[in-house]
Amino acid sequence: MDIIKAALIPHLLEIIGILLASLIGWAANTARRKWGIDIEARHREALHSALLNGARLALERGLGGQAAVAEILKHVQISVPDAVIGLDARAEVLGNLAQAKLREVCESA
């Protein structure tokens, strides 16, 4: 009986180790997805807020067209650089978003 126990214990410990490693991996992956989504949502909110504030600022300064879009993008780069980097936002996409926010502000004014 002692021989059987002695032979099984290393295998049982190996199985327990595999189960624990799997559990830790699953928990780490779940936490990464949850917090990654939360961080992305905060970046997205910050970016849209900066775009809106930049559009208001551009209109207050009497800018229009490409000058206004350039001012909005400058404001975004200064105020929320982490959001731009975190979302990996491309210049073309940011330009389109800036134009959309500018139209939105013009329509609401």
Side-chain angles (χ1 to χ4, degrees):
M1 188 66 144
D2 289 335
I3 296 173
I4 295 174
K5 285 182 187 178
L8 287 178
I9 288 178
H11 297 294
L12 288 175
L13 291 175
E14 188 175 333
I15 290 171
I16 291 170
I18 291 170
L19 291 174
L20 284 175
S22 297
L23 180 64
I24 290 169
W26 172 82
N29 190 39
T30 301
R32 182 184 49 80
R33 280 186 300 180
K34 183 202 180 309
W35 286 315
I37 291 170
D38 290 346
I39 290 169
E40 183 178 331
R42 279 188 253 130
H43 283 327
R44 194 172 44 251
E45 290 170 18
L47 178 64
H48 282 281
S49 177
L51 285 163
L52 188 59
N53 290 337
R56 290 179 182 142
L57 179 65
L59 287 180
E60 285 175 8
R61 293 182 178 170
L63 300 174
Q66 285 304 105
V69 170
E71 184 67 25
I72 294 167
L73 294 176
K74 179 180 160 189
H75 179 74
V76 166
Q77 289 295 334
I78 292 169
S79 63
V80 289
D82 291 342
V84 173
I85 293 168
L87 293 171
D88 194 23
R90 304 285 187 244
E92 184 179 350
V93 172
L94 289 174
N96 291 340
L97 289 170
Q99 289 174 353
K101 288 296 181 184
L102 187 59
R103 279 192 300 272
E104 183 181 319
V105 169
C106 286
E107 290 172 1
S108 69

